[in-house]
Amino acid sequence: MSPSEGPAPVRVGVLGCADIARKRTLPALVACPGTEPVAVASRTPAKAGALAAEFGCRPVVGYEKLLADDGIDAVYIAVPAGLHAEWCAKALAAGRHVLVEKPFAVDTAEATALADLAGARGLVLMENRMFARHPQHALVRSLIDAGEIGAPKVLTAAMVIPPRAPDDIRYRRDLAGGALLDVGFYPIGAAILLFGPDWDVVGAVLDHDDRLGVDTGGTILLRSAGGVSAQLTFGFDHYYRAAYQVWGSAGTITAERAFTPPPTLSPTVRVEGPGGHTELSVPPFDQFRAVAADFAAAVHGDGEWAGHLAASLRGVVLTDAVLTWTSHAPTAATASPGGRKDDHRRT
């Protein structure tokens, strides 16, 4: 390979056959010049074969067999959330770089252990925080910094979706189901992305389904070190919304398609103030492909990934803080959500 050709694509093995892998991440890995999906692993031969055939990969039966495959440099992990930490740790121990679906861990202890292991092994560990790569958020931050809405005072953010099928994996307590760990990830991530990591939980409520054993929604109140307040809403039984708004002393900024815009959509950021309003169109952008490119650059030592991991870790810490708050709240219905392997530790 000549220097002008650049590094070879990162050979990625896919661990798990989740819908997000088939619909968004695998197409992004194929489209990104820096990554090449080469194998798909499932515990079910038919699932591995079908997904591998769709993307021109070889099927592998068994996750351990994939990790032992010398034909891969990295793995993309798309198993249920409750299994993320286990397979991240096994992949890192096998010497593989890791791109993993969110949340990369379900509690602070797991997240810290994984970050330490990746650092000790000199390997990339990156959570698929795809929304954070979209340029609409950089635009919002630049408008805030330019004083377009005066001093920022309040952030409101929501990621809510309609009810899922009864057998949806999000309702599986034993696999870390629940709205907080799933869709709550996005508004918490938006707070960190826009205003940094220094937030305190000052209030929280979780709606708990006793039949399912998981939380199905909730609201979080945060206060930042800089004096910004945040009201974050998430849930599984709502009319769809994925948006946030920043209120300032002199106006507001609203992003209506903040978290999951398709790559063909041109999102609009709306700025309002005493003089009227302006709508700023952001060009279409494939945020999944951007993650793939960031991951490949990091594997080759050319990209920054420590900051992404730090933001991911902070998101897990804040989630833990929400659980601590609700477990000490006077209302029993706000007890810890399902899927936690150690719910009993909260008293």
Side-chain angles (χ1 to χ4, degrees), residues 84-112:
H84 286 177
E86 174 188 352
W87 287 103
C88 282
K90 289 181 177 179
L92 292 168
R96 310 302 179 192
H97 302 282
V98 174
L99 174 65
V100 58
E101 271 306 318
K102 56 80 180 171
F104 82 108
V106 301
D107 61 36
T108 302
E110 282 187 353
T112 302

Side-chain angles (χ1 to χ4, degrees), residues 68-89:
D69 189 335
D70 290 335
I72 65 169
D73 307 305
V75 293
Y76 161 61
I77 297 176
V79 296
L83 303 177
H84 286 177
E86 174 188 352
W87 287 103
C88 282

Side-chain angles (χ1 to χ4, degrees), residues 20 24-25 28-29 101 128 130 286-293:
I20 192 69
R24 298 301 301 271
T25 309
L29 291 171
E101 271 306 318
N128 193 9
M130 72 291 178
D286 189 340
Q287 55 194 27
F288 281 83
R289 182 171 173 174
V291 172

